[in-house]
Amino acid sequence: ETDSVARGYLSLVRTARRAGVVEPGPVTPLRFLDELRNRRPDAGDAASRAVTLYTRARFGHRPLSPRENREFRSAVREARKTLSWKKPS
């Protein structure tokens, strides 16, 4: 399950990079979230939920519960969808 959470998180990072929100290269989850919130606050809440659950699964040494896993997938989908839309001028 941790692998699927990592894949979901990485898909969010890739989407943010394609949207020009995050520079190429390594980035920690908290730095990623900080950059995303600064450049695309419209995706910040969903990304924050996703990053919080990702770091809990990745570094907390316990798998997400089924409810947390559903919440994680939903947050990733929401953030990626928001990032896919052009930021309003």
Side-chain angles (χ1 to χ4, degrees), residues 3 8-11 15-16 24 26 29 36-37 41 48 55 60 63 69 81 84 86:
D3 288 344
Y9 169 74
L10 292 174
S11 74
T15 301
L36 189 143
R37 281 181 167 162
S48 179
T55 55
N69 202 0
K81 181 178 177 182
S84 295
K86 184 176 179 179

Side-chain angles (χ1 to χ4, degrees), residues 53 64-75 77:
L53 291 166
L64 298 180
S65 70
R67 183 188 60 76
E68 290 171 324
N69 202 0
R70 286 189 303 274
E71 183 181 346
F72 172 78
R73 289 192 319 267
S74 175
R77 275 193 308 273

Side-chain angles (χ1 to χ4, degrees), residues 1-15 32 50-51 54 69 72-73 75-77 79-80:
E1 179 181 327
T2 302
D3 288 344
S4 68
V5 172
R7 284 192 302 273
Y9 169 74
L10 292 174
S11 74
L12 177 56
V13 172
R14 283 191 301 272
T15 301
F32 165 72
V51 169
Y54 165 72
N69 202 0
F72 172 78
R73 289 192 319 267
V76 168
R77 275 193 308 273
R80 290 183 70 207

Side-chain angles (χ1 to χ4, degrees), residues 15-75:
T15 301
R17 284 196 172 121
R18 282 193 299 270
V21 175
V22 178
E23 299 298 323
V27 62
T28 66
L30 296 179
R31 175 65 186 244
F32 165 72
L33 185 56
D34 187 50
E35 288 183 28
L36 189 143
R37 281 181 167 162
N38 285 331
R39 295 181 183 175
R40 287 296 300 269
D42 56 329
D45 288 345
S48 179
R49 290 193 312 274
V51 169
T52 296
L53 291 166
Y54 165 72
T55 55
R56 185 178 303 159
R58 175 71 173 88
F59 304 108
H61 305 291
R62 73 166 182 81
L64 298 180
S65 70
R67 183 188 60 76
E68 290 171 324
N69 202 0
R70 286 189 303 274
E71 183 181 346
F72 172 78
R73 289 192 319 267
S74 175

